[in-house]
Amino acid sequence: RTTGTAPQLAQHALLYSEYVSLAQSDANLLVIDSRSAVEPYGWYTGSSTISSYLSDGVHYTGAGGILLAKVEAQQLALVAGAG
């Protein structure tokens, strides 16, 4: 999410931190940090290439969906020891 009201963006950030807390408290839960994984590709707020990945600040474009799937699969492969 790159657009929204201040309360929406704050809620989005809170959700992210709650996911991290849950993963740290339960060894049987895996949380993939997709946000950090896509940042090197220019998918972050303020990037000149963000519109390549998000059509309206929230929903993925085709390229965004493909990139997200790629980086998440790479993260899963690392966890599984295949990366």
Side-chain angles (χ1 to χ4, degrees):
R1 175 176 279 270
T2 60
T3 60
T5 65
Q8 288 172 326
L9 295 173
Q11 202 60 15
H12 182 70
L14 265 175
L15 180 62
Y16 175 76
S17 65
E18 285 301 312
Y19 284 151
V20 171
S21 294
L22 281 170
Q24 291 173 341
S25 68
D26 186 342
N28 296 312
L29 179 65
L30 172 67
V31 174
I32 296 174
D33 185 356
S34 300
R35 183 188 304 180
S36 295
V38 297
E39 283 180 352
Y41 297 90
W43 184 337
Y44 56 89
T45 302
S47 167
S48 62
T49 58
I50 190 71
S51 62
S52 298
Y53 306 118
L54 295 176
S55 62
D56 59 3
V58 178
H59 299 99
Y60 314 141
T61 61
I66 290 168
L67 176 62
L68 190 59
K70 173 185 161 185
V71 299
E72 288 179 350
Q74 289 171 341
Q75 294 292 315
L76 288 170
L78 286 172
V79 171

